[in-house]
Amino acid sequence: MVTRGQDSISVLIIDDEVGIRMGLRLLIDGAERIRVVGEGVNGDEALTLAARHDPDVILMDVRMPGLTGIDAVQQLTDTGSRAKVVMLTAFDTEEFLLDALRAGAVSFLLKDAPPEDIVGAVLDAAQGRSVFSPSALDRLVRAAATGSNGEARPLEGSGKRQREPGATRDDGALAGVTSREREIARYVAQGMTNAEIASALFVSQATVKTHLASLFSKLHVTNRVQLALLALEWDATEHA
């Protein structure tokens, strides 16, 4: 894992608009040891460039011609890519938010987010931490709590059926989650770090990591964002 002050953070920029790519490169290349290693115009190029450069982080547009950003994230996740994907969108909408996160993206930002937020999102993504534009976070919580995304639908072009936001992922798997694991999942949904969770529960960080590894395995999730979504859904279901 990349740490600040050590190796540079390699980044791909994937967007079909050349002006956006140029702006992002000028913004992040060289900032805080960030190094842009390639640019692409759609999801297909994202997959090719990711295989070639093995980047730490990918800044990727949601809506592009050809393979979409969401489908590209899903394929990166399915193939075991270590790249952390920060999804970017020009639209203040929850239309693709949940699908992007469930596909494996770690963060979701508006393209007009302040420059320091975008740089910070890259740095945080390299550490496995999630960042959301305030409006995106608000929509995420409301969508997970109310099931406002409507009927489950396949990701564009993927043919993979997605869950409804208000439904549990797997009732059998959920039944195997302990009360302590649920408690930790809820803390994750509140944005707490491992250290903060350990302090709140009076346990070691190693213990928290062990519980998180168990949760990831039982629930078949790959990052803290997906775990947080499930924790929000549990609470919404229990209080329905």
Side-chain angles (χ1 to χ4, degrees):
M1 181 179 290
V2 176
T3 57
R4 298 187 192 190
Q6 295 185 352
D7 296 334
S8 62
I9 298 171
S10 56
V11 179
L12 289 178
I13 299 173
I14 309 296
D15 196 293
D16 60 311
E17 296 185 33
V18 63
I20 296 295
R21 295 198 307 275
M22 290 177 60
L24 288 171
R25 178 183 278 272
L26 288 172
L27 175 64
I28 67 173
D29 199 16
E32 298 281 349
R33 296 180 177 270
I34 296 171
R35 176 171 54 95
V36 176
V37 296
E39 299 179 16
V41 301
N42 57 32
D44 292 304
E45 292 193 4
L47 298 178
T48 298
L49 292 170
R52 180 184 305 164
H53 296 289
D54 188 28
D56 298 305
V57 178
I58 302 176
L59 285 174
M60 183 142 54
D61 190 13
V62 172
R63 306 177 74 172
M64 297 177 290
L67 192 69
T68 69
I70 294 174
D71 283 341
V73 176
Q74 186 68 64
Q75 291 193 34
L76 287 167
T77 299
D78 290 345
T79 56
S81 172
R82 71 180 187 89
K84 307 298 185 183
V85 179
V86 177
M87 301 300 295
L88 298 173
T89 180
F91 306 99
D92 184 11
T93 176
E94 64 198 40
E95 182 180 2
F96 299 115
L97 176 56
L98 293 175
D99 280 348
L101 297 178
R102 287 179 175 134
V106 300
S107 296
F108 198 98
L109 292 176
L110 297 178
K111 290 181 181 179
D112 62 359
E116 61 270 21
D117 286 359
I118 295 177
V119 171
V122 172
L123 297 173
D124 284 330
Q127 297 286 349
R129 295 191 294 265
S130 300
V131 176
F132 300 92
S133 294
S135 60
L137 181 58
D138 176 66
R139 290 171 183 271
L140 170 63
V141 172
R142 285 191 289 109
T146 65
S148 62
N149 233 23
E151 294 183 356
R153 65 179 186 277
L155 299 179
E156 294 181 16
S158 70
K160 293 189 176 182
R161 192 74 169 172
Q162 299 298 296
R163 293 180 297 128
E164 291 184 59
T168 57
R169 185 186 191 99
D170 184 328
D171 290 339
L174 182 56
V177 174
T178 67
S179 58
R180 176 48 61 91
E181 289 170 346
R182 282 195 180 218
E183 191 174 15
I184 288 175
R186 289 189 174 100
Y187 280 138
V188 169
Q190 294 172 26
M192 294 174 65
T193 65
N194 288 357
E196 290 170 336
I197 295 172
S199 178
L201 296 178
F202 301 102
V203 299
S204 69
Q205 290 190 53
T207 298
V208 173
K209 290 179 180 178
T210 298
H211 284 306
L212 286 173
S214 176
L215 281 164
F216 285 10
S217 176
K218 289 178 180 178
L219 299 173
H220 310 293
V221 296
T222 59
N223 59 54
R224 295 170 80 95
V225 174
Q226 294 172 330
L227 177 60
L229 282 172
L230 285 177
L232 290 169
E233 292 171 0
W234 298 341
D235 286 343
T237 300
E238 289 173 0
H239 292 91

